[in-house]
Short mmCIF file of all heavy atoms in Angstrom, two decimals:
data_model
loop_
_atom_site.label_atom_id
_atom_site.label_comp_id
_atom_site.label_asym_id
_atom_site.label_seq_id
_atom_site.Cartn_x
_atom_site.Cartn_y
_atom_site.Cartn_z
N SER B 465 -51.86 -51.27 71.91
CA SER B 465 -51.82 -52.49 72.71
C SER B 465 -50.50 -52.65 73.44
O SER B 465 -49.45 -52.23 72.97
CB SER B 465 -52.07 -53.69 71.80
OG SER B 465 -52.18 -54.84 72.58
N ASN B 466 -50.57 -53.26 74.60
CA ASN B 466 -49.38 -53.67 75.34
C ASN B 466 -49.46 -55.17 75.49
O ASN B 466 -50.44 -55.68 76.03
CB ASN B 466 -49.37 -53.03 76.73
CG ASN B 466 -48.88 -51.60 76.67
OD1 ASN B 466 -47.99 -51.28 75.89
ND2 ASN B 466 -49.50 -50.76 77.46
N LEU B 467 -48.45 -55.86 75.03
CA LEU B 467 -48.47 -57.31 75.11
C LEU B 467 -48.58 -57.72 76.58
O LEU B 467 -47.82 -57.27 77.44
CB LEU B 467 -47.18 -57.88 74.49
CG LEU B 467 -47.19 -59.39 74.21
CD1 LEU B 467 -48.34 -59.76 73.28
CD2 LEU B 467 -45.87 -59.83 73.63
N GLY B 468 -49.58 -58.55 76.86
CA GLY B 468 -49.77 -59.04 78.21
C GLY B 468 -50.56 -58.10 79.11
O GLY B 468 -50.94 -58.47 80.22
N ARG B 469 -50.83 -56.88 78.63
CA ARG B 469 -51.53 -55.93 79.50
C ARG B 469 -52.92 -55.58 78.98
O ARG B 469 -53.76 -55.09 79.71
CB ARG B 469 -50.73 -54.62 79.62
CG ARG B 469 -49.28 -54.84 80.07
CD ARG B 469 -49.06 -54.43 81.52
NE ARG B 469 -49.32 -53.04 81.76
CZ ARG B 469 -48.41 -52.07 81.63
NH1 ARG B 469 -47.21 -52.35 81.21
NH2 ARG B 469 -48.72 -50.83 81.89
N GLY B 470 -53.15 -55.81 77.71
CA GLY B 470 -54.46 -55.50 77.15
C GLY B 470 -54.37 -54.61 75.92
O GLY B 470 -53.30 -54.12 75.56
N SER B 471 -55.51 -54.43 75.27
CA SER B 471 -55.56 -53.65 74.04
C SER B 471 -56.68 -52.63 74.11
O SER B 471 -57.65 -52.80 74.85
CB SER B 471 -55.82 -54.54 72.83
OG SER B 471 -55.09 -55.72 72.90
N VAL B 472 -56.51 -51.57 73.33
CA VAL B 472 -57.59 -50.59 73.18
C VAL B 472 -57.89 -50.48 71.68
O VAL B 472 -57.04 -50.06 70.90
CB VAL B 472 -57.17 -49.20 73.72
CG1 VAL B 472 -58.34 -48.23 73.56
CG2 VAL B 472 -56.75 -49.31 75.17
N PHE B 473 -59.07 -50.88 71.30
CA PHE B 473 -59.51 -50.73 69.91
C PHE B 473 -60.40 -49.50 69.82
O PHE B 473 -61.31 -49.34 70.62
CB PHE B 473 -60.29 -51.97 69.45
CG PHE B 473 -59.42 -53.15 69.16
CD1 PHE B 473 -59.04 -54.01 70.17
CD2 PHE B 473 -58.96 -53.39 67.88
CE1 PHE B 473 -58.23 -55.11 69.91
CE2 PHE B 473 -58.15 -54.47 67.61
CZ PHE B 473 -57.77 -55.34 68.62
N THR B 474 -60.10 -48.66 68.85
CA THR B 474 -60.89 -47.45 68.69
C THR B 474 -61.46 -47.38 67.28
O THR B 474 -60.73 -47.57 66.30
CB THR B 474 -60.01 -46.20 68.92
OG1 THR B 474 -59.39 -46.33 70.19
CG2 THR B 474 -60.85 -44.93 68.88
N ILE B 475 -62.75 -47.12 67.18
CA ILE B 475 -63.32 -46.81 65.87
C ILE B 475 -63.85 -45.39 65.95
O ILE B 475 -64.27 -44.93 67.01
CB ILE B 475 -64.47 -47.78 65.47
CG1 ILE B 475 -65.57 -47.78 66.52
CG2 ILE B 475 -63.94 -49.16 65.24
CD1 ILE B 475 -66.81 -48.53 66.09
N SER B 476 -63.76 -44.68 64.83
CA SER B 476 -64.27 -43.31 64.87
C SER B 476 -65.06 -42.98 63.62
O SER B 476 -64.73 -43.42 62.51
CB SER B 476 -63.11 -42.33 65.04
OG SER B 476 -62.25 -42.40 63.93
N PHE B 477 -66.12 -42.24 63.82
CA PHE B 477 -66.99 -41.80 62.72
C PHE B 477 -66.84 -40.30 62.54
O PHE B 477 -66.78 -39.57 63.53
CB PHE B 477 -68.47 -42.05 63.07
CG PHE B 477 -68.89 -43.48 62.99
CD1 PHE B 477 -68.76 -44.31 64.09
CD2 PHE B 477 -69.43 -43.99 61.83
CE1 PHE B 477 -69.16 -45.63 64.03
CE2 PHE B 477 -69.83 -45.31 61.77
CZ PHE B 477 -69.70 -46.13 62.86
N PRO B 478 -66.79 -39.83 61.31
CA PRO B 478 -66.82 -38.38 61.12
C PRO B 478 -68.23 -37.88 61.43
O PRO B 478 -69.21 -38.57 61.15
CB PRO B 478 -66.49 -38.20 59.64
CG PRO B 478 -66.89 -39.48 59.00
CD PRO B 478 -66.77 -40.55 60.04
N ASP B 479 -68.31 -36.68 62.03
CA ASP B 479 -69.64 -36.11 62.29
C ASP B 479 -70.20 -35.57 60.99
O ASP B 479 -69.50 -34.95 60.21
CB ASP B 479 -69.53 -34.95 63.29
CG ASP B 479 -69.46 -35.50 64.70
OD1 ASP B 479 -69.65 -36.72 64.86
OD2 ASP B 479 -69.21 -34.71 65.62
#
Side-chain angles (χ1 to χ4, degrees):
Chain B
S465 187
N466 280 323
L467 193 58
R469 306 254 299 271
S471 318
V472 181
F473 284 86
T474 306
I475 56 171
S476 63
F477 286 88
D479 279 352

